[in-house]
Amino acid sequence: MALETLENLKRAVVEYDTEGAVSWARKAVEEKVDPVKALDALTEAIRQVGDGFGRGELWLPDLVGAADAMQAAMPIIEEELQRTGAKREAMGIVVAGAVFGDIHSIGKTMVCTLLTAEGFKVHDLGVNIKAEEFVAAIEKYKPDILAMSALLTMTAPEQRKVIDTLKKKGMREKVKVMVGGGAITTAFAESIGADGYDPTAPGAVGLARRLVGKQGRTKC
């Protein structure tokens, strides 16, 4: 029964069925399925879609649809994880957000979803995030990686501002910084002192793995 429920949960995500994902997540809780296994099912499903996107077999709407289904089911599974005290090894911790002045979220959300699927604990701050808010989140969550996005050329300098703020507060060496977004290039990332840049969501996951080391670490 548990295996069937997990397979249906995965299928709902792969088929972009948000209502189905929520329903099967609740079913998993009712059947007392190990919440870690349920979370693994969700991440396996989104990884499958992400891999298809990376190979050019699927398109952005496919990835968005799968991400929406996964995100709808996640709170149900995460609540059960907290209730039962179950633990899941994390690859690392990431704080992510679109910089101040930028309200575009699709690319950032895709990266956050794929990072979650890869095993990272992601704290998505959202959009239009000021430098001080990034700093506060780093102090609170103590992440391995800070991931910032900027779609617009006019908002890209905010990434430099965040990095400069971290330097002024003596926090720059405590966190790796990866940047992305339509306005960002490798040259720009290097010029502001970021630790890495990749133009694609799947590529950003590979970058994050390299920044923390393939083995990752437990820190939840």
Side-chain angles (χ1 to χ4, degrees):
M1 184 68 72
L3 182 59
E4 180 182 355
T5 298
L6 292 175
E7 286 299 320
N8 284 324
L9 180 59
K10 288 171 58 177
R11 185 178 300 109
V13 173
V14 172
E15 295 179 353
Y16 330 132
D17 181 2
T18 299
E19 291 184 2
V22 170
S23 177
W24 285 110
R26 289 174 176 160
K27 184 72 171 177
V29 172
E30 291 172 3
E31 294 178 352
K32 301 187 184 306
V33 173
D34 183 345
V36 174
K37 291 183 178 179
L39 186 57
D40 286 343
L42 288 173
T43 57
E44 287 172 16
I46 197 67
R47 187 180 295 120
Q48 179 180 332
V49 176
D51 288 346
F53 177 77
R55 293 192 300 268
E57 298 170 358
L58 297 174
W59 302 93
L60 182 58
D62 298 306
L63 193 54
V64 171
D68 286 345
M70 176 182 174
Q71 290 171 350
M74 280 288 286
I76 299 169
I77 303 303
E78 288 179 338
E79 182 178 350
E80 185 67 2
L81 279 169
Q82 294 178 359
R83 188 188 70 79
T84 61
K87 300 292 183 181
R88 187 193 192 207
E89 183 177 353
M91 181 69 66
I93 297 177
V94 179
V95 163
V99 296
F100 182 62
D102 205 310
I103 60 173
H104 301 87
S105 64
I106 292 179
K108 172 191 61 63
T109 300
M110 293 303 98
V111 170
C112 289
T113 300
L114 293 181
L115 285 173
T116 299
E118 193 66 19
F120 286 89
K121 175 67 175 179
V122 180
H123 298 281
D124 185 355
L125 305 183
V127 300
N128 199 32
I129 306 301
K130 296 180 180 179
E132 295 77 11
E133 294 175 293
F134 279 117
V135 170
I138 291 170
E139 291 176 332
K140 178 179 180 180
Y141 298 116
K142 297 178 173 54
D144 302 283
I145 296 173
L146 169 63
M148 297 185 288
S149 69
L151 182 66
L152 305 176
T153 302
M154 63 185 294
T155 61
E158 286 292 323
Q159 294 183 341
R160 183 194 300 274
K161 181 177 180 180
V162 174
I163 292 175
D164 288 345
T165 301
L166 290 174
K167 290 178 180 177
K168 290 177 182 178
K169 291 184 174 291
M171 299 170 61
R172 178 62 183 90
E173 300 305 316
K174 296 180 180 180
V175 63
K176 298 292 186 181
V177 178
M178 53 187 282
V179 295
I184 310 305
T185 64
T186 299
F188 178 79
E190 292 175 350
S191 74
I192 65 174
D195 294 298
Y197 155 77
D198 196 280
T200 69
V205 174
L207 171 60
R209 285 181 61 91
R210 292 192 296 275
L211 290 177
V212 300
K214 290 185 178 181
Q215 297 304 314
R217 62 191 179 91
T218 302
K219 182 182 174 186
C220 294

